[in-house]
């Protein structure tokens, strides 16, 4: 399930991130790649343990915590600290799949169920750089306004096309969901969206709203792992 989440960051937050990243140190992105990914990865990243990464990561975490669409689509249990990358002219990340397990900075591990890319560069400022995700409906090409985010199953094969003009900056991270099966998460998301639409059409105490809401929460009890 690929979901576009608009306006995750405000224009002011995008500008704050851009200003801080302008003065950040950038290193070879292969430093955080797995063995397979490192062979096809050519980009730059802000070091995970740097002050810039931690400060801007908090901005991103606050933003997703106020997004009901992110909560509904992902059902987050653990979120990996957001990271930041850039693709200058000629840089690319060929087809790969994300590592299934990530070691958390403070200790412990988490499973990567959902991948997220939060765009920080307006699309008119660069050419190429599309995120291409392979799913059951074929390849989907994603290039969003600054401040918008896309989420998709971390099991998906995906790539970033070569940048041919300008520079593409983004934040990226992974989430361990309370529901590890993407098909079940999709059903829960679609049901939640239907309940919201129904509440706009009929009173909240209508039997159909109450019945669907009960089904939603009882499925959560069946499928969620916390």
């Amino acid at each position: 399930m690929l979901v576009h989440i608009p306006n995750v960051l405000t224009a002011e937050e995008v500008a704050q991130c851009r200003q801080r990243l302008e003065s950040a140190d950038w290193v070879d992105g292969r430093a955080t790649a797995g063995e397979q990914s490192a062979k096809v990865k050519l980009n730059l990243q802000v070091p995970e343990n740097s002050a810039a990464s931690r400060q801007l990561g908090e901005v991103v975490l606050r933003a997703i915590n106020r997004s009901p669409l992110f909560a509904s689509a992902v059902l987050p249990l653990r979120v990996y600290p957001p990271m930041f990358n850039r693709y200058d002219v000629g840089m690319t990340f060929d087809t790969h799949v994300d590592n299934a397990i990530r070691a958390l900075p403070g200790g412990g591990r988490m499973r990567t169920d959902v991948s997220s890319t939060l765009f920080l560069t307006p699309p008119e400022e660069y050419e190429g750089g599309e995120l291409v995700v392979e799913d059951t409906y074929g390849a989907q090409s994603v290039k969003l306004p600054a401040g918008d985010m896309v989420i998709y199953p971390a099991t998906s094969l995906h790539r970033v096309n070569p940048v041919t003009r300008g520079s593409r900056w983004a934040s990226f991270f992974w989430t361990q969901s309370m529901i590890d099966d993407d098909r079940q998460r999709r059903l829960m998301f679609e049901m939640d969206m239907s309940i919201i639409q129904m509440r706009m059409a009929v009173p909240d105490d209508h039997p159909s709203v109450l019945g669907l809401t009960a089904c939603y929460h009882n499925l959560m009890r069946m499928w969620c792992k916390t």
Side-chain angles (χ1 to χ4, degrees):
M1 177 177 67
L2 187 151
V3 179
H4 170 200
I5 306 179
N7 302 314
V8 173
L9 294 180
T10 66
E12 292 77 15
E13 288 170 329
V14 170
Q16 177 187 352
C17 290
R18 292 280 304 182
Q19 184 178 25
R20 185 69 180 86
L21 290 172
E22 289 282 357
S23 60
D25 293 325
W26 296 88
V27 299
D28 191 329
R30 288 174 292 187
T32 58
E35 181 179 356
Q36 179 269 333
S37 296
K39 299 175 182 178
V40 295
K41 184 177 186 180
L42 178 59
N43 69 1
L44 300 172
Q45 290 179 192
V46 177
E48 287 186 78
N49 59 354
S50 68
S53 186
R54 292 194 299 269
Q55 292 166 3
L56 296 181
E58 289 298 322
V59 174
V60 173
L61 289 175
R62 286 195 297 270
I64 63 173
N65 283 338
R66 66 177 182 242
S67 170
L69 189 56
F70 178 83
S72 178
V74 178
L75 297 171
L77 178 62
R78 298 182 184 89
V79 179
Y80 193 85
M83 302 166 65
F84 299 85
N85 62 17
R86 65 184 285 178
Y87 292 80
D88 295 335
V89 172
M91 293 186 176
T92 184
F93 198 167
D94 209 349
T95 304
H96 65 284
V97 66
D98 292 334
N99 290 346
I101 303 295
R102 302 287 301 193
L104 293 166
R109 298 180 180 181
M110 61 169 275
R111 186 184 61 246
T112 58
D113 296 320
V114 181
S115 297
S116 299
T117 297
L118 174 58
F119 289 78
L120 298 175
T121 307
E124 62 271 15
E125 290 189 4
Y126 64 100
E127 293 179 1
E130 299 87 357
L131 171 66
V132 181
V133 181
E134 302 280 353
D135 69 4
T136 53
Y137 300 101
Q140 299 196 54
S141 179
V142 183
K143 188 174 183 179
L144 301 178
D148 286 16
M149 184 167 73
V150 64
I151 63 167
Y152 56 96
T155 54
S156 306
L157 289 172
H158 58 284
R159 68 180 186 272
V160 175
N161 285 341
V163 170
T164 58
R165 178 183 66 84
S167 184
R168 172 201 190 267
W169 297 15
S171 175
F172 65 101
F173 58 93
W174 300 273
T175 305
Q176 180 174 339
S177 175
M178 290 184 288
I179 296 180
D180 56 13
D181 188 292
D182 179 58
R183 297 166 301 174
Q184 294 173 344
R185 281 198 309 276
R186 179 193 293 269
L187 288 173
M188 298 304 294
F189 177 63
E190 292 173 350
M191 183 178 291
D192 193 25
M193 295 298 100
S194 295
I195 291 171
I196 291 171
Q197 292 172 2
M198 185 173 290
R199 281 177 171 165
M200 293 188 292
V202 300
D204 280 354
D205 60 354
H206 192 279
S208 59
V209 175
L210 295 175
L212 270 179
T213 303
C215 286
Y216 177 88
H217 286 285
N218 287 330
L219 285 172
M220 290 276 280
R221 291 184 178 93
M222 289 174 59
W223 291 341
C224 281
K225 302 170 184 176
T226 59

